[in-house]
Amino acid sequence: MSRRISPVIPGFGLTLGYTLVYLSLIVLIPLAAMFVHAAQLTWAQFWAIISAPRVLAALQLSFGTALCAAIINGLIGTLLAWVLVRYTFPGRKVIDAMIDLPFALPTAVAGIALTALYAPTGLVGQFATDLGLKIAYTPLGITLALTFVTLPFVVRTMQPVLADIPREVEEAAACLGAKPWQVVRHILVPALLPAWLTGFALAFARGVGEYGSVIFIAGNMPMKTEILPLLIMVKLDQYDYTGATSIGVLMLVVSFGLLLLINLLQRRIETP
């Protein structure tokens, strides 16, 4: 007669109950309250708020710069992960630790530092100004700030996957006559693409909702460099809770839709 082995943690029923309660208190109930508050408006009133030119300009800026930053980090982050995993060199551990700096650094401090660096009188900004390029207080500055904040998401997602790919597979392909671009296309890309999409989605989601590192370098000019999170804060300062909630619902719906598409694409790629 075999003895039943007790699980290390409580059984499925209890752990599922804890999970649902925690998820409801932290995520579902606050989001549901936002939708309930927005439901007090008629569709015409809600549409008038979210279709205002100022809101649409902020929507385009927030999602556009977040998308650009996620694409940049998708390329640079993959390269950094490759170097950190595949090569050993002096200072490797220091660089690896610095990848997590945006996680530890307060976002407001990062925004102030980036503004001081890229402002027209800053160390880099003054040279850019001489070349006729303005970085701070433009969408370019916002993209740079989001790139700095979201870099760890791609690097930390790609590193374990790269570490699990045996080098012998690449060497075997090379011995069989495969060219470097064929090794990348047929061996590395299929293995890395699901993880890359995950890191891309995380970076994009973080960039859309980023506030602290952006408000200083953005300049916050309505219709030009005003992001959606800042517009929500403006509405709250004006005690326009209904307007702020409506914009929040808009951000949530658009973000969820885009993330859902990315996850569906990732699942389709992973399915043989």
Side-chain angles (χ1 to χ4, degrees):
M1 181 177 180
S2 60
R3 187 181 65 177
R4 182 179 178 182
I5 301 177
S6 300
V8 177
I9 60 177
F12 173 75
L14 185 58
T15 52
L16 178 62
Y18 281 137
T19 301
L20 292 178
V21 170
Y22 183 82
L23 182 64
S24 299
L25 292 176
I26 302 299
V27 179
L28 298 181
I29 293 178
L31 294 181
M34 185 171 62
F35 277 94
V36 170
H37 189 79
Q40 298 176 4
L41 299 172
T42 64
W43 172 252
Q45 293 172 330
F46 178 76
W47 180 256
I49 293 174
I50 65 173
S51 62
R54 186 176 179 182
V55 175
L56 294 179
L59 177 71
Q60 181 180 1
L61 179 66
S62 294
F63 282 88
T65 53
L67 179 62
C68 292
I71 293 174
I72 293 172
N73 278 332
L75 299 175
I76 298 178
T78 302
L79 181 62
L80 284 173
W82 178 272
V83 171
L84 292 174
V85 170
R86 292 302 178 93
Y87 300 102
T88 302
F89 53 90
R92 174 178 171 272
K93 292 185 178 180
V94 175
I95 296 177
D96 190 40
M98 291 177 62
I99 297 296
D100 293 325
L101 187 61
F103 285 154
L105 191 67
T107 55
V109 176
I112 295 173
L114 292 172
T115 304
L117 183 64
Y118 293 112
T121 57
L123 182 62
V124 176
Q126 59 182 343
F127 295 105
T129 302
D130 294 337
L131 297 175
L133 178 64
K134 186 178 181 180
I135 300 178
Y137 319 126
T138 65
L140 177 59
I142 298 175
T143 303
L144 287 175
L146 295 181
T147 302
F148 171 80
V149 172
T150 60
L151 176 63
F153 291 97
V154 178
V155 177
R156 294 311 184 204
T157 304
M158 298 292 291
Q159 274 185 301
V161 181
L162 281 170
D164 288 340
I165 300 178
R167 296 189 180 184
E168 291 78 7
V169 177
E170 303 169 35
E171 295 173 356
C175 292
L176 293 174
K179 298 180 180 179
W181 66 269
Q182 291 176 319
V183 175
V184 172
R185 177 182 177 184
H186 296 289
I187 296 178
L188 296 179
V189 170
L192 295 177
L193 188 55
W196 188 90
L197 286 174
T198 300
F200 175 85
L202 292 174
F204 175 74
R206 171 65 186 274
V208 169
E210 180 60 26
Y211 177 77
S213 63
V214 176
I215 56 173
F216 296 102
I217 199 171
N220 310 322
M221 293 178 287
M223 305 292 295
K224 293 183 179 180
T225 59
E226 185 179 50
I227 59 175
L228 271 179
L230 176 63
L231 185 55
I232 292 176
M233 293 300 299
V234 171
K235 295 287 185 182
L236 293 175
D237 290 339
Q238 296 173 350
Y239 301 100
D240 185 7
Y241 300 116
T242 303
T245 303
S246 300
I247 298 174
V249 169
L250 175 64
M251 286 188 65
L252 178 61
V253 171
V254 176
S255 299
F256 180 79
L258 292 175
L259 291 177
L260 180 61
L261 289 176
I262 295 173
N263 288 332
L264 292 175
L265 178 61
Q266 180 184 9
R267 179 170 296 183
R268 183 175 181 179
I269 293 173
E270 290 177 342
T271 302

